Amino acid sequence: MAESWSFLDTFDPNFRPLVVIELAKGTKEETIDWFTKRIVDKKANGGAQLLIKPLVTENGNENIYLVGASHLRLLLGAETVGLVKECNDNSMRTFTYSSRKTFKDFADDNHNFLTMAEGQYIIKHELENLRAKDEKMIPGYPQAKLYPGKSIVRRLLTSGVLVQIFPLHDREELKKLRHSWYGQVKVGYQPLDEIRCYFGETVALYFGFLEYFTFALIPMAVIGIPYYVFAWEDYDKYVMFATFNLLWSTVILEVWKRICAIMTYRWGTLLMKRQFEEPRPGFHGVLGINPVTGREEPVYSSIKRQIRIYLVSLPFVCLCLYFSLYVMMIYFDLEQWALDYHEENESNFSSLMLFVPSIIYAVVIEIMNRIYRYAAEFLTSWENHRLESSYQNHLVLKVLVFNFLNCFASLFYIAFVLFDMKLLRQSLATLLITSQILNQFAESLLPYWLQKRHKKRMKKRMCSLKTDVDLSLVEQVNLEKEMGTYFGTFDDYLELFLQFGYVSLFSCVYPLAAVFAVLNNITEIYSDALKMCRVYKRPFAEPTANIGVWQLAFETMSVISVVTNCILIGMSPQVNALFPDSKMDLILTVALVEHLLLAIKFIMAFVIPDKPRDIQIKLAQLEFESLEALKQQVRATDMYNSEK
Amino acid sequence: MAESWSFLDTFDPNFRPLVVIELAKGTKEETIDWFTKRIVDKKANGGAQLLIKPLVTENGNENIYLVGASHLRLLLGAETVGLVKECNDNSMRTFTYSSRKTFKDFADDNHNFLTMAEGQYIIKHELENLRAKDEKMIPGYPQAKLYPGKSIVRRLLTSGVLVQIFPLHDREELKKLRHSWYGQVKVGYQPLDEIRCYFGETVALYFGFLEYFTFALIPMAVIGIPYYVFAWEDYDKYVMFATFNLLWSTVILEVWKRICAIMTYRWGTLLMKRQFEEPRPGFHGVLGINPVTGREEPVYSSIKRQIRIYLVSLPFVCLCLYFSLYVMMIYFDLEQWALDYHEENESNFSSLMLFVPSIIYAVVIEIMNRIYRYAAEFLTSWENHRLESSYQNHLVLKVLVFNFLNCFASLFYIAFVLFDMKLLRQSLATLLITSQILNQFAESLLPYWLQKRHKKRMKKRMCSLKTDVDLSLVEQVNLEKEMGTYFGTFDDYLELFLQFGYVSLFSCVYPLAAVFAVLNNITEIYSDALKMCRVYKRPFAEPTANIGVWQLAFETMSVISVVTNCILIGMSPQVNALFPDSKMDLILTVALVEHLLLAIKFIMAFVIPDKPRDIQIKLAQLEFESLEALKQQVRATDMYNSEK
C-alpha cells in the first residue's frame, strides 16, 4: 500500500493513519505548508507534534491528509486529555506517563494499550488545541483573522479552508464489531464494551440506555398484553396497571443512574475531570478579554443574547406552538369528516378511511418536527452561545417543548376536552405506530439505501462494501469521506423520549403501547447499529459520564404522566360509579392520590442512591488517596521546616 | 500572669493559650505524661507538635492544660486543613506555606494573619488527628483500647479521661464584637464578618440567614398589616396575598443560595475542599478493615443498622406521631369545653378562658418537642452511624417530621376537617406567639439567668463578667469551663423552620403572622447574640459553605404551603361564590392553579442560578488556572521526552 502515499518525511515507519483531514480544493500552497508545519512542529514550539501524510491518488494530491501520531505522543496526549484507565490492582486511575507501568496491559511495545477511538480522540483534541501564536491571519487568507490563542482548526473550519476532519474506520475491527453486534441471530446483550472501544462513550451509552430501556419496558408490556387479549375493561385493573406503571417508571429512571454509574466507572469517564470549555466554533463577537482566562478572545454581550432569546426565539417558539395547535384543529375537522363519511356510506373502504386522518396527521407531525428542528438549530446558533453546552441546552429545550406539544397535544385534547377514550386509544395507536415506522425509515433505511446507490454509481470499479474484501487505503478514505456525518445522539434520544411519552402519559388507556415500544426498540437497536456501522462516517469518540439533560427530560415526563393518569382514572365511569353521590369527593380523592403518588416519587428519587455502594466506595477510596497524598506532601514540608 | 503557669519547657516565650483541655480529676500521671508528650512531639514522630502548659491555680494543678502553637506551626496547620485566604490580587486561594508571601496581610511577624478562631480550629484538627501508633491501650487505662490510626483524643473522650476541650474566649475581641453586634442601639446589619472571625462560619452563616430571613419577611409583613388594620375580608385580596407569598417564598429561598455563595466565597469556605470524614466519636463496632482507607477500624454491619432504623426507630417515631395526634384530640375536647363554658357563663373571665386551651396546648407542644428531641438523639446515636453527617441527617429527619406534625397537625385539623377559619386564625396566633415567647425564654434568658446565679454563688471573690475588667487567665479558664456548651445551630434553625411554617402554610388566613415573625426575629438576633457571647462556652469554629439540609427543609415547606394555601382559598365562601353552579369546576380550577404554581416554583428554582455571575467567573478562573497548571506540568514532561 505504501506506493499510494508519498512519504513526507522520515517519521516512524509504523505510521498508522487515524484521522483524515480534507482541505478545500484549490487551497493555497502556503496555507498547506504552514498548517502541516504547525501540525508536525514540536510541542515546545507550539506545534501538535503529530505525524501527517498527504494521500496521493491516481488523480494526484486531492488535498486529503492522513494524521497519525507516535505511540509515545499518544501516551502523552492521553495524559493531557485526562484519560482514566484500569490499573493492575483493578482500580481506575487517571493515566499519567510517569505512572504508566502501574496500568493494566501496559507495555512499551503494546500499541493496543490505547484503543483506536482513544487515539483518534487524542488527535482531535491536540488538533483543536493547536493555537495561533503571533499570526494575525491564516497565511494566504487575509480575511481569516487570527489572534493569539485562537484555535487554528476552528478558524480553518469556519473560513472554509478545512472541509472536514474525521476519524478512519478500522475495517478489521468494524467487521468483528458488526458480527458480535448484529451479525448473528441471537438473543443477548449488546457488546457495549466493544461499542465503546470503537465509537466512544457517548454512542455506547446511548445503546446502553436503549437496551436498558427496552428491558425495563418488558414488565409493562407483559402486564399489558392480557388487557388486549382478554379485552379487560374493568377500571380497577387499569388503575392497578397505571399505578404500577407510575412507580415503575420512577424506579427504572433511578436504577438507570446506578447502571450508568457502573458502566461509566468501568469506562473511566465517571472519574474523568471536566475539561475547560472553549468557545464553540460558530461563536463570534468583538475581540475582548475573557474574564476567566484573561486571554484575548471574541466577547459577545450577554444582554444582546438575552434580547435575542426573549424577543425573537421565545415569540417564534410560541408562534410555532400556536401553528401546531392550529394544525391539530384541522386534524379534528378531518377526523369528523371521515366519521361522517363512514356513517353515510358504510363500507370496508370507509372504515379504512377512518384511519386516514390519523395517519396523515402522524406524517404531518413528523414533517413539522423535522422542519422545526432546522429552525430551532438556526435560531439557537443565531443566539450566539459561547459554549457548546449552553447551545445544546437551549436547543434541547426548544425542540423538546415543541415536540412534546406537537406529538401529544391532540391526545390531550381528545382525553381532556372531548373525553373520548375510544378515540384516544385509536389515535394513540396510530400516532405511535406511524411515527415508529417513519422514524425507522427516515433514520436508517433511507440513508442506507441512498448511500448504497451513491456508492454503486460513483465507485463502480471499487469493491462494494458488502463483500468486505480488502480495500486499499485510498479507496477507503475516498469512500468514507463521502459518507454522511453522524450528528450525535440527539435525535435518537428524542425518539426514545417521545416513545416514553406515548407509553407512560396514557398508559391506563392503552396498555399495549409498551408492547409496541418493546418491538420497535428491538428493531431500533439493529437499525441504529446498521446506521452507525454502515451509513455514517465514524464519529469521534466523546467521553461522557451520563446521559445529561435527557435524564431530567425523562424524569419530567414521568412526573407529568402521574398527573395525566390520575385524571384519566378519575374520569373513568367505573371510578365515577364508586362515588355516586358526590363528584366532589371523587375529585378530592383523585387529587389526594395524585399528591401521594408525586410525594412517593420524590421520596423514592431521594432515597435510592444514585451510585451503587461499591462504586461509592471506590470513589471514596480515590478521594481518600488524593487527600492522603496531599497530607504526605504537607508533612514533608512540615518535616523540612521543623528540621531547619 | 506568668507566675500562674509552670513552664513545661523552653518553648516560644510568646505562648498564647488558645485551647483548654480538662482532664478528669485523678487521671494517672503516666497517662498525662504520655498524652502531653504526644501533643508536643514532632510531626515526624507522630506527634502534633503543639505547645502545652498546665494551668496551676492556688489549689495546685487541677488537671487543666492550655494548648497553643507557634506561629509557624499554625501556618503549616492552615495548609493541612486546607484554609482558603485572600491573595494580594483579591482572589481567594488555598493557603500553602510555600506561597504564603502572595497572601494579603501576610508578613512573617504578623501573628494576626490567622484569626484566633482559625488557630483554634487548626489546633482542634491537629489534636483530633493525633493517632495511636503501636499503643494497644491508653497507658494507665487498660480498658481503653487503641489500635493503629485510632484518634487518641476521641478515645480519651469516650473513656472519660478527657472531660472537655474548648477554645478560650478573647476578652478584648469579645468586648469589641459585643459592642458592634448588640452593644449600641442602632438599626443596621450585623457585623457578620466579625462574627465569622470570632465564632467561625457555621455560626456566622446562621446569623446571616436569620438576618436575611427577617429582611425577606418584611415585605410580607408590610403587605399583611393593612389586612389587620382595615379588617379586610375580601377573599380576592387574600388570594393576591397568598399568591405573592408563595412566589415570594420561592424567590427568597433561591436568592439566599446566591447570598450564601457570596458570603462563603468571601470567607473562603465555598472553595474549601471537603476533608475526609472520620468515624464519629460515639461509633463502635468490631475491629475490621475499612474498605475505603484500608485501615483497621471498628466496622458495624450496615444491615444491623438498617434493622435498628426500620424495626425500632421507625415504629417509635410513628408511635410518637400517634401520641401527638392523641394529645391534639384532647386539646380539641378542652377547646370545646371552654367554648361551652363561655356560652353558659358569659363574662370577661370566660372569654379569657377561651384562650387557655390554646396556650396550654402550645406549652405542651413545646414540652413534647423537647422530650422527643432527647429520644431522637438517643435513638439516632443507638443506630450507630459511622459518620457525623449521616447521624445528623437521620436526626434532622426524625426531629423535623415530629415537630412538623406536632406543631401543625392541629391547624391542619381545624382547617381541613373542622373548616373553621376563625378558630384557625385564633389557634395560629396563639401557637405562634406562645411558642415564640417560650423559645426566647428557654433558649437565652433562662440559661443567662442560671449562668449569672451560678457565677455569683461560685465565684463571689471574682469580678463579675458584667464589669468586664481584667480577669486573670486562671479565673477566666475556671469561669469558662463551667459555662454551658453550645450544641450547634440545630435548634436555632429548627425554630426558624417552624416559624416559616406558621408564616407560609396558612398565610392567606392570617397575614399578620409575618409581622410577629419579624418582631420575634429582631429580638431573636439579640437574644441569640447574647447567648453566644455571654451564656455559652466559645464554640470551635466550623467551616461550612451552606446551610446544608435546612435549605431542603425550607424548600419542602414552601412546596407544602402551595398546596395548603390553594386548598384554603378554594374553600373560601368568596371563591365558592364564583362557581355557584358546580363545585366540580371550582375544585378543578383550584387543582389547575395549584399545579401551575408548583410548576412555576420548579421552573423558577431551575432558572435562577445558584451562584451570582461574578462568583461563577471567579470559580471558573480558579478551575481554569488549575487545569493550566496541570497542562504546564504535562508540557514539561512532553518537552523532556521529545528532547530525549
Side-chain angles (χ1 to χ4, degrees), chain B residues 294-327:
Chain B
R295 285 182 193 156
E296 216 179 15
E297 69 167 42
V299 173
Y300 188 75
S301 139
S302 152
I303 294 158
K304 271 194 203 165
R305 187 178 304 125
Q306 300 289 337
I307 289 175
R308 286 184 173 191
I309 291 175
Y310 290 106
L311 296 188
V312 180
S313 296
L314 190 65
F316 176 80
V317 171
C318 292
L319 208 73
C320 287
L321 295 178
Y322 177 78
F323 181 72
S324 153
L325 292 178
Y326 190 79
V327 169

Short mmCIF file of all heavy atoms in Angstrom, two decimals, chain B residues 294-327:
data_model
loop_
_atom_site.label_atom_id
_atom_site.label_comp_id
_atom_site.label_asym_id
_atom_site.label_seq_id
_atom_site.Cartn_x
_atom_site.Cartn_y
_atom_site.Cartn_z
N GLY B 294 -8.56 1.21 53.87
CA GLY B 294 -7.71 0.05 54.07
C GLY B 294 -7.13 -0.04 55.47
O GLY B 294 -6.30 -0.88 55.76
N ARG B 295 -7.60 0.87 56.35
CA ARG B 295 -7.09 0.89 57.72
C ARG B 295 -7.95 0.03 58.62
O ARG B 295 -9.12 -0.17 58.37
CB ARG B 295 -7.13 2.31 58.26
CG ARG B 295 -6.09 3.23 57.75
CD ARG B 295 -6.29 4.56 58.46
NE ARG B 295 -5.53 5.61 57.83
CZ ARG B 295 -5.85 6.89 57.92
NH1 ARG B 295 -6.91 7.26 58.60
NH2 ARG B 295 -5.11 7.80 57.34
N GLU B 296 -7.34 -0.39 59.73
CA GLU B 296 -8.09 -1.12 60.73
C GLU B 296 -8.93 -0.11 61.50
O GLU B 296 -8.41 0.91 61.96
CB GLU B 296 -7.11 -1.82 61.67
CG GLU B 296 -7.59 -3.16 62.14
CD GLU B 296 -6.57 -3.82 63.04
OE1 GLU B 296 -5.65 -3.14 63.52
OE2 GLU B 296 -6.69 -5.01 63.26
N GLU B 297 -10.20 -0.37 61.61
CA GLU B 297 -11.05 0.49 62.44
C GLU B 297 -12.33 -0.27 62.75
O GLU B 297 -12.60 -1.31 62.14
CB GLU B 297 -11.36 1.82 61.73
CG GLU B 297 -12.25 1.69 60.52
CD GLU B 297 -12.78 3.06 60.06
OE1 GLU B 297 -11.99 4.02 60.05
OE2 GLU B 297 -13.96 3.14 59.73
N PRO B 298 -13.13 0.21 63.70
CA PRO B 298 -14.36 -0.52 64.01
C PRO B 298 -15.27 -0.57 62.79
O PRO B 298 -15.38 0.41 62.06
CB PRO B 298 -15.00 0.32 65.12
CG PRO B 298 -13.94 1.18 65.64
CD PRO B 298 -12.97 1.40 64.53
N VAL B 299 -15.89 -1.71 62.57
CA VAL B 299 -16.80 -1.87 61.45
C VAL B 299 -18.13 -2.31 62.03
O VAL B 299 -18.17 -3.12 62.95
CB VAL B 299 -16.26 -2.91 60.46
CG1 VAL B 299 -17.29 -3.21 59.39
CG2 VAL B 299 -14.97 -2.42 59.83
N TYR B 300 -19.23 -1.73 61.54
CA TYR B 300 -20.54 -2.10 62.03
C TYR B 300 -21.41 -2.43 60.83
O TYR B 300 -21.46 -1.65 59.88
CB TYR B 300 -21.13 -0.95 62.84
CG TYR B 300 -22.41 -1.32 63.55
CD1 TYR B 300 -22.38 -2.11 64.69
CD2 TYR B 300 -23.62 -0.89 63.07
CE1 TYR B 300 -23.53 -2.45 65.35
CE2 TYR B 300 -24.79 -1.23 63.72
CZ TYR B 300 -24.74 -2.01 64.86
OH TYR B 300 -25.90 -2.35 65.50
N SER B 301 -22.04 -3.61 60.87
CA SER B 301 -22.79 -4.08 59.71
C SER B 301 -23.91 -3.12 59.35
O SER B 301 -24.71 -2.70 60.20
CB SER B 301 -23.34 -5.46 60.02
OG SER B 301 -24.64 -5.57 59.54
N SER B 302 -23.97 -2.78 58.06
CA SER B 302 -24.99 -1.85 57.59
C SER B 302 -26.37 -2.47 57.72
O SER B 302 -27.37 -1.75 57.93
CB SER B 302 -24.68 -1.49 56.14
OG SER B 302 -25.82 -1.17 55.44
N ILE B 303 -26.47 -3.80 57.64
CA ILE B 303 -27.79 -4.46 57.76
C ILE B 303 -28.33 -4.30 59.17
O ILE B 303 -29.49 -3.99 59.38
CB ILE B 303 -27.66 -5.95 57.36
CG1 ILE B 303 -27.32 -6.03 55.86
CG2 ILE B 303 -28.94 -6.70 57.65
CD1 ILE B 303 -26.67 -7.32 55.46
N LYS B 304 -27.42 -4.50 60.16
CA LYS B 304 -27.84 -4.32 61.56
C LYS B 304 -28.39 -2.92 61.77
O LYS B 304 -29.39 -2.72 62.45
CB LYS B 304 -26.63 -4.52 62.49
CG LYS B 304 -26.42 -5.93 62.94
CD LYS B 304 -25.43 -5.92 64.09
CE LYS B 304 -24.74 -7.26 64.26
NZ LYS B 304 -23.55 -7.16 65.12
N ARG B 305 -27.71 -1.93 61.15
CA ARG B 305 -28.15 -0.54 61.31
C ARG B 305 -29.52 -0.35 60.66
O ARG B 305 -30.40 0.26 61.25
CB ARG B 305 -27.12 0.40 60.70
CG ARG B 305 -27.43 1.87 60.98
CD ARG B 305 -26.38 2.79 60.40
NE ARG B 305 -25.07 2.46 60.88
CZ ARG B 305 -24.02 2.19 60.10
NH1 ARG B 305 -24.15 2.23 58.79
NH2 ARG B 305 -22.86 1.88 60.61
N GLN B 306 -29.68 -0.92 59.45
CA GLN B 306 -30.97 -0.82 58.77
C GLN B 306 -32.07 -1.42 59.64
O GLN B 306 -33.17 -0.88 59.74
CB GLN B 306 -30.93 -1.55 57.42
CG GLN B 306 -29.89 -1.03 56.45
CD GLN B 306 -30.21 0.33 55.88
OE1 GLN B 306 -31.37 0.71 55.84
NE2 GLN B 306 -29.21 1.07 55.47
N ILE B 307 -31.76 -2.58 60.27
CA ILE B 307 -32.76 -3.23 61.12
C ILE B 307 -33.14 -2.30 62.26
O ILE B 307 -34.32 -2.10 62.56
CB ILE B 307 -32.21 -4.58 61.65
CG1 ILE B 307 -32.14 -5.58 60.51
CG2 ILE B 307 -33.09 -5.11 62.78
CD1 ILE B 307 -31.52 -6.89 60.89
N ARG B 308 -32.12 -1.70 62.90
CA ARG B 308 -32.42 -0.78 64.00
C ARG B 308 -33.27 0.39 63.52
O ARG B 308 -34.19 0.82 64.21
CB ARG B 308 -31.12 -0.26 64.60
CG ARG B 308 -30.40 -1.31 65.44
CD ARG B 308 -29.16 -0.75 66.10
NE ARG B 308 -28.60 -1.76 67.01
CZ ARG B 308 -27.65 -1.51 67.88
NH1 ARG B 308 -27.13 -0.29 67.98
NH2 ARG B 308 -27.20 -2.46 68.67
N ILE B 309 -32.93 0.90 62.32
CA ILE B 309 -33.66 2.07 61.82
C ILE B 309 -35.12 1.70 61.53
O ILE B 309 -36.05 2.36 61.99
CB ILE B 309 -32.99 2.62 60.54
CG1 ILE B 309 -31.63 3.24 60.90
CG2 ILE B 309 -33.88 3.67 59.87
CD1 ILE B 309 -30.84 3.72 59.71
N TYR B 310 -35.30 0.59 60.76
CA TYR B 310 -36.65 0.32 60.28
C TYR B 310 -37.51 -0.45 61.27
O TYR B 310 -38.72 -0.34 61.24
CB TYR B 310 -36.59 -0.42 58.93
CG TYR B 310 -36.10 0.48 57.83
CD1 TYR B 310 -34.83 0.37 57.30
CD2 TYR B 310 -36.91 1.52 57.36
CE1 TYR B 310 -34.36 1.23 56.32
CE2 TYR B 310 -36.46 2.38 56.39
CZ TYR B 310 -35.19 2.23 55.87
OH TYR B 310 -34.75 3.10 54.91
N LEU B 311 -36.88 -1.24 62.16
CA LEU B 311 -37.69 -2.03 63.08
C LEU B 311 -37.83 -1.39 64.46
O LEU B 311 -38.69 -1.78 65.24
CB LEU B 311 -37.13 -3.45 63.20
CG LEU B 311 -37.18 -4.28 61.92
CD1 LEU B 311 -36.79 -5.71 62.19
CD2 LEU B 311 -38.56 -4.21 61.29
N VAL B 312 -36.98 -0.44 64.79
CA VAL B 312 -37.11 0.19 66.11
C VAL B 312 -37.41 1.69 65.96
O VAL B 312 -38.44 2.17 66.42
CB VAL B 312 -35.83 -0.03 66.95
CG1 VAL B 312 -35.99 0.64 68.31
CG2 VAL B 312 -35.55 -1.51 67.11
N SER B 313 -36.53 2.41 65.27
CA SER B 313 -36.71 3.86 65.20
C SER B 313 -37.99 4.24 64.49
O SER B 313 -38.76 5.07 64.99
CB SER B 313 -35.52 4.50 64.47
OG SER B 313 -34.35 4.30 65.20
N LEU B 314 -38.23 3.62 63.32
CA LEU B 314 -39.41 3.99 62.55
C LEU B 314 -40.70 3.75 63.33
O LEU B 314 -41.53 4.65 63.46
CB LEU B 314 -39.41 3.24 61.21
CG LEU B 314 -40.44 3.70 60.20
CD1 LEU B 314 -40.15 5.12 59.75
CD2 LEU B 314 -40.45 2.77 59.00
N PRO B 315 -40.88 2.53 63.93
CA PRO B 315 -42.10 2.34 64.74
C PRO B 315 -42.18 3.32 65.90
O PRO B 315 -43.26 3.85 66.20
CB PRO B 315 -41.96 0.90 65.25
CG PRO B 315 -41.04 0.24 64.30
CD PRO B 315 -40.12 1.29 63.80
N PHE B 316 -41.04 3.60 66.52
CA PHE B 316 -41.06 4.54 67.64
C PHE B 316 -41.53 5.92 67.19
O PHE B 316 -42.38 6.55 67.83
CB PHE B 316 -39.67 4.64 68.28
CG PHE B 316 -39.60 5.67 69.36
CD1 PHE B 316 -40.07 5.39 70.64
CD2 PHE B 316 -39.07 6.93 69.12
CE1 PHE B 316 -40.04 6.35 71.64
CE2 PHE B 316 -39.03 7.89 70.11
CZ PHE B 316 -39.52 7.60 71.38
N VAL B 317 -41.00 6.37 66.07
CA VAL B 317 -41.39 7.68 65.55
C VAL B 317 -42.89 7.68 65.24
O VAL B 317 -43.61 8.62 65.60
CB VAL B 317 -40.57 8.05 64.30
CG1 VAL B 317 -41.12 9.31 63.64
CG2 VAL B 317 -39.11 8.26 64.67
N CYS B 318 -43.37 6.59 64.63
CA CYS B 318 -44.79 6.52 64.31
C CYS B 318 -45.63 6.58 65.58
O CYS B 318 -46.66 7.25 65.64
CB CYS B 318 -45.10 5.24 63.53
SG CYS B 318 -44.38 5.24 61.90
N LEU B 319 -45.18 5.87 66.62
CA LEU B 319 -45.88 5.89 67.90
C LEU B 319 -45.94 7.31 68.46
O LEU B 319 -46.98 7.77 68.93
CB LEU B 319 -45.13 4.97 68.88
CG LEU B 319 -45.99 4.33 69.97
CD1 LEU B 319 -46.86 3.24 69.35
CD2 LEU B 319 -45.12 3.76 71.08
N CYS B 320 -44.82 8.01 68.38
CA CYS B 320 -44.77 9.38 68.87
C CYS B 320 -45.73 10.26 68.08
O CYS B 320 -46.42 11.11 68.66
CB CYS B 320 -43.35 9.95 68.77
SG CYS B 320 -42.25 9.25 69.98
N LEU B 321 -45.77 10.04 66.77
CA LEU B 321 -46.67 10.83 65.94
C LEU B 321 -48.12 10.56 66.36
O LEU B 321 -48.93 11.48 66.49
CB LEU B 321 -46.47 10.49 64.46
CG LEU B 321 -45.11 10.85 63.88
CD1 LEU B 321 -45.03 10.42 62.43
CD2 LEU B 321 -44.84 12.34 64.01
N TYR B 322 -48.42 9.28 66.62
CA TYR B 322 -49.76 8.92 67.05
C TYR B 322 -50.09 9.59 68.38
O TYR B 322 -51.16 10.17 68.56
CB TYR B 322 -49.87 7.40 67.17
CG TYR B 322 -51.20 6.94 67.68
CD1 TYR B 322 -52.31 6.91 66.84
CD2 TYR B 322 -51.37 6.59 69.01
CE1 TYR B 322 -53.54 6.52 67.31
CE2 TYR B 322 -52.60 6.20 69.50
CZ TYR B 322 -53.69 6.17 68.64
OH TYR B 322 -54.91 5.80 69.12
N PHE B 323 -49.14 9.54 69.30
CA PHE B 323 -49.33 10.15 70.61
C PHE B 323 -49.60 11.65 70.46
O PHE B 323 -50.48 12.22 71.11
CB PHE B 323 -48.09 9.91 71.47
CG PHE B 323 -48.20 10.49 72.86
CD1 PHE B 323 -49.04 9.90 73.80
CD2 PHE B 323 -47.48 11.62 73.20
CE1 PHE B 323 -49.15 10.44 75.07
CE2 PHE B 323 -47.60 12.16 74.47
CZ PHE B 323 -48.44 11.57 75.41
N SER B 324 -48.82 12.26 69.56
CA SER B 324 -49.00 13.69 69.34
C SER B 324 -50.40 13.99 68.81
O SER B 324 -51.05 14.96 69.24
CB SER B 324 -47.93 14.16 68.35
OG SER B 324 -48.37 15.27 67.64
N LEU B 325 -50.91 13.13 67.93
CA LEU B 325 -52.27 13.33 67.42
C LEU B 325 -53.29 13.13 68.54
O LEU B 325 -54.31 13.83 68.61
CB LEU B 325 -52.54 12.36 66.26
CG LEU B 325 -51.75 12.63 65.00
CD1 LEU B 325 -52.07 11.58 63.94
CD2 LEU B 325 -52.04 14.02 64.47
N TYR B 326 -53.00 12.18 69.43
CA TYR B 326 -53.89 11.90 70.55
C TYR B 326 -54.00 13.13 71.46
O TYR B 326 -55.08 13.55 71.85
CB TYR B 326 -53.33 10.70 71.32
CG TYR B 326 -54.27 10.16 72.36
CD1 TYR B 326 -55.33 9.33 71.99
CD2 TYR B 326 -54.10 10.47 73.71
CE1 TYR B 326 -56.19 8.84 72.94
CE2 TYR B 326 -54.96 9.99 74.67
CZ TYR B 326 -56.02 9.17 74.28
OH TYR B 326 -56.89 8.68 75.22
N VAL B 327 -52.84 13.72 71.77
CA VAL B 327 -52.81 14.95 72.58
C VAL B 327 -53.62 16.03 71.89
O VAL B 327 -54.36 16.78 72.53
CB VAL B 327 -51.35 15.39 72.82
CG1 VAL B 327 -51.31 16.80 73.42
CG2 VAL B 327 -50.64 14.40 73.72
#
